Amino acid sequence: MKRSTTHIRTSLASSYIGKLCRHFRHKIETEYTETTGRAVFPQGICSMTAQPEMLVFEIEATNTEALEQIKGVLIRHLLKFSYKETLEIEWQDDY
């Protein structure tokens, strides 16, 4: 398994988790609470955690290409939902 993690500074982490999971649930399996989320993509799984002033994404995928696809989907949608603030997204890959 390939893994990647990012910690994104934001005070709206819980809100973004809810928006992402509600949006994705039309095409893939998702579940979420106030502080956690999980999205099951065909290529892998993304776990989401809302911490104080921080949004954490942890992705597990079968290969590097799948990992990059999931990252792309997450980033595109998160940037749409976060248009009111500038987010810095840096991934730490474990492959």
Side-chain angles (χ1 to χ4, degrees), residues 21-87:
C21 287
R22 284 190 301 274
H23 179 77
F24 292 151
R25 73 179 172 197
H26 299 290
K27 293 189 177 187
I28 62 171
E29 175 188 335
T30 66
E31 57 187 55
Y32 66 98
T33 67
E34 284 282 319
T35 58
T36 64
R38 185 171 184 266
V40 181
F41 294 90
Q43 313 91 325
I45 297 172
C46 178
S47 298
M48 306 170 216
T49 306
Q51 299 176 352
E53 303 300 316
M54 189 78 57
L55 173 59
V56 179
F57 290 146
E58 296 175 316
I59 303 170
E60 282 191 9
T62 54
N63 57 53
T64 305
E65 182 180 339
L67 193 69
E68 294 301 321
Q69 288 175 345
I70 295 170
K71 283 185 198 177
V73 169
L74 288 169
I75 291 170
R76 281 192 306 277
H77 288 84
L78 180 60
L79 292 178
K80 285 181 187 178
F81 296 136
S82 66
Y83 65 92
K84 292 182 182 179
E85 66 178 327
T86 302
L87 301 179

